[in-house]
Amino acid sequence: MMKSAPKTELLCPGGSLEKLKMAIRYGADACYIAGMNYGLRTRAGNFSPEDMLEAVRFAHAHQAKVYVVANMVPHEGDQAGIEDYFQSLEDLAVDAVLISDPGLIRLCQTVAPKLAIHLSTQASTLNYAALNFWAGQGLERVVLGREVSLAEIREMKAHSAIQLETFLHGAMCVSYSGRCVLSNHICLRDANRGGCAQPCRWFYDLWRPDADQAWQKLGQMGEGGDTATAFSMSAADLCMLDHIPDLVEAGIDSLKVEGRMKSIHYVSTVANVYRAALDAYYADPDHYQVKPAWRAELQKSAQRELSTGFYYGQPSPEAQFAQQGQVDPGVTFVGKVLDYDPARGIATLEQRNKFAVGDLLEFYGPGMRLFRQTVTWLENAEGDPIEACPHPLMTVRLPVDRPVQPHDLVRLVHDEKRLPYA
């Protein structure tokens, strides 16, 4: 009897221990994280050795995997201490390490031979000859550059047996998968060594010297004197919710959600939606349809306009670049459920943003559980009645119309008419 192919992995960001646990609870098959050095997000809530050990234990107890990124582009001296680091990752039993630099790959194989290696997207792998080269070097998986199309991926799968990982959802880079020096030039922060200031997200005007005026703002003048708006180089965010069948049937082994800098609200929401979508596809591949509830959920996570990136060919400038900046999600993440008393119908929350009596809240949990209710009363940790909870990380209690569970999350709905709910 032929063994069926493994299901495509849902890989989510673990920017901190709390985010990793939330991603796994909400459906991630694996999370990618970073230690204190050697990654590309120095400003994320990166992991101490103690946190990394807890992350691996938690993930493995939930049948999930942990991958650690060490994908910086090192200058001379940046690699100091990395042999000990790779050995520690092997000792912690992490499931793989992501590396982009060939020298670091060789070091890792020498000092931590049992540690699986995935090639980072920073290596910009875009063809099957490169895939076969890396397979010949003993790597387990390649994270493809964001610039590949589905047609190219199918060709790669036909000529290479190495595992492929591609991006599923999240921010896109205006450069070749992070190979950008704009942050270095403007801010003296090296994007390829973890310090990107994201100046591509800023808005710019054009200026030039003029005989009549010291500087003339050209960005305000279009043809015929029309007013032109400031521009940015900010790419639209990737969203492949409608195209799950194309991705799975192309043979992609792992689908990756971008966002180690994003909140637990973002991570839980996106993981919840794509878990439901992948499960629906595998339950009935021939009749996959995107449910309105999935699309509505994704709209509540902070993001720019959405696109399909390069999967279906070179996008037009209008499709590739965000026109509005970040889109208002219509909700604010305000709390996490700590406990629930079924006898009294009372939930205990840890507050993350202010809300008050009379506000409309939305409770949601794994498996796309969701309901809304108005806050009728609140009390603090001491049992005193309060009208609002303005202080960060307050413990508050309130009555709930339906049962909730620890680690369910809570949003404040700003406009019920704009975000209809059934």
Side-chain angles (χ1 to χ4, degrees):
M1 182 177 180
M2 184 177 294
K3 185 178 180 181
S4 60
K7 292 182 178 180
T8 301
E9 175 184 82
L10 176 59
L11 175 58
C12 290
S16 67
L17 186 58
E18 180 185 34
K19 294 174 188 177
L20 174 138
K21 291 181 176 181
M22 198 63 66
I24 291 171
R25 289 186 176 109
Y26 279 73
D29 297 308
C31 282
Y32 58 101
I33 68 174
M36 296 299 181
N37 299 296
Y38 313 116
L40 286 184
R41 291 292 182 270
T42 57
R43 295 169 187 268
N46 294 322
F47 285 64
S48 67
E50 295 76 20
D51 283 348
M52 201 174 288
L53 176 60
E54 184 175 346
V56 171
R57 288 175 173 172
F58 179 88
H60 290 176
H62 290 79
Q63 293 74 54
K65 295 180 178 181
V66 175
Y67 308 138
V68 177
V69 299
N71 58 346
M72 71 184 302
V73 178
H75 288 229
E76 192 57 52
D78 288 340
Q79 70 272 33
I82 202 164
E83 294 98 331
D84 292 339
Y85 183 63
F86 287 146
Q87 288 175 336
S88 72
L89 296 183
E90 184 179 67
D91 293 341
L92 288 171
V94 303
D95 296 281
V97 59
L98 285 87
I99 310 175
S100 64
D101 181 76
L104 297 190
I105 290 172
R106 183 59 54 86
L107 282 174
C108 183
Q109 291 173 328
T110 301
V111 303
K114 297 179 182 178
L115 183 58
I117 299 176
H118 297 175
L119 187 70
S120 169
T121 190
Q122 295 300 115
S124 295
T125 306
L126 306 171
N127 61 79
Y128 69 76
L131 292 179
N132 290 330
F133 169 82
W134 291 114
Q137 299 302 307
L139 273 63
E140 178 182 86
R141 177 186 295 180
V142 170
V143 187
L144 296 177
R146 289 172 170 90
E147 300 76 28
V148 296
S149 68
L150 273 168
E152 291 171 322
I153 291 171
R154 294 187 188 100
E155 188 73 5
M156 292 179 195
K157 290 298 291 189
H159 293 88
S160 178
I162 198 168
Q163 292 181 23
L164 298 185
E165 179 181 309
T166 70
F167 284 87
L168 172 68
H169 189 94
M172 295 285 282
C173 184
V174 74
S175 184
Y176 259 88
S177 291
R179 294 187 170 198
C180 178
V181 295
L182 189 61
S183 179
N184 306 50
H185 178 68
I186 296 178
C187 307
L188 301 180
R189 284 170 45 182
D190 192 338
N192 294 294
R193 287 193 281 176
C196 185
Q198 296 190 319
C200 61
R201 309 296 191 200
W202 304 349
F203 285 94
Y204 295 87
D205 290 313
L206 297 176
W207 299 73
R208 75 175 183 191
D210 187 87
D212 299 324
Q213 190 175 349
W215 291 95
Q216 181 180 8
K217 190 175 181 182
L218 297 182
Q220 291 183 344
M221 296 192 303
E223 292 185 9
D226 295 335
T227 299
T229 58
F231 68 92
S232 81
M233 293 165 279
S234 181
D237 284 356
L238 180 69
C239 176
M240 292 297 287
L241 180 64
D242 290 274
H243 308 284
I244 293 293
D246 286 351
L247 298 173
V248 175
E249 291 160 18
I252 297 168
D253 298 279
S254 181
L255 293 170
K256 185 173 194 170
V257 174
E258 180 275 339
R260 283 198 295 120
M261 300 285 285
K262 301 288 182 67
S263 68
I264 62 170
H265 172 246
Y266 175 90
V267 170
S268 60
T269 299
V270 175
N272 216 8
V273 169
Y274 281 107
R275 177 78 276 148
L278 281 165
D279 288 350
Y281 168 80
Y282 279 109
D284 189 0
D286 294 332
H287 300 93
Y288 175 81
Q289 287 187 327
V290 174
K291 294 183 179 180
W294 303 346
R295 208 181 303 280
E297 279 296 285
L298 282 186
Q299 291 173 354
K300 297 169 189 171
S301 59
Q303 57 197 6
R304 285 163 284 272
E305 296 101 316
L306 301 176
S307 77
T308 55
F310 292 84
Y311 279 114
Y312 298 100
Q314 179 73 34
S316 67
E318 291 76 20
Q320 185 173 2
F321 293 102
Q323 305 299 316
Q324 304 174 28
Q326 189 162 300
V327 177
D328 179 9
V331 297
T332 299
F333 168 52
V334 295
K336 178 172 74 172
V337 175
L338 300 176
D339 197 13
Y340 172 65
D341 181 351
R344 299 172 59 211
I346 302 296
T348 302
L349 307 185
E350 180 182 75
Q351 180 262 31
R352 297 296 179 94
N353 276 295
K354 180 181 178 181
F355 65 96
V357 173
D359 284 341
L360 179 64
L361 299 185
E362 186 170 81
F363 291 78
Y364 73 98
M368 299 295 292
R369 292 184 291 104
L370 186 145
F371 73 94
R372 288 180 181 176
Q373 69 165 70
T374 300
V375 181
T376 55
W377 58 261
L378 286 167
E379 65 180 28
N380 61 23
E382 290 72 37
D384 301 321
I386 55 176
E387 288 298 312
C389 47
H391 306 301
L393 301 180
M394 285 181 67
T395 298
V396 298
R397 287 184 285 268
L398 73 162
V400 287
D401 296 339
R402 300 185 194 178
V404 293
Q405 299 176 15
H407 311 295
D408 285 358
L409 299 182
V410 189
R411 307 175 178 119
L412 171 64
V413 179
H414 300 306
D415 185 348
E416 189 173 11
K417 293 181 179 179
R418 188 166 76 83
L419 290 175
Y421 163 74

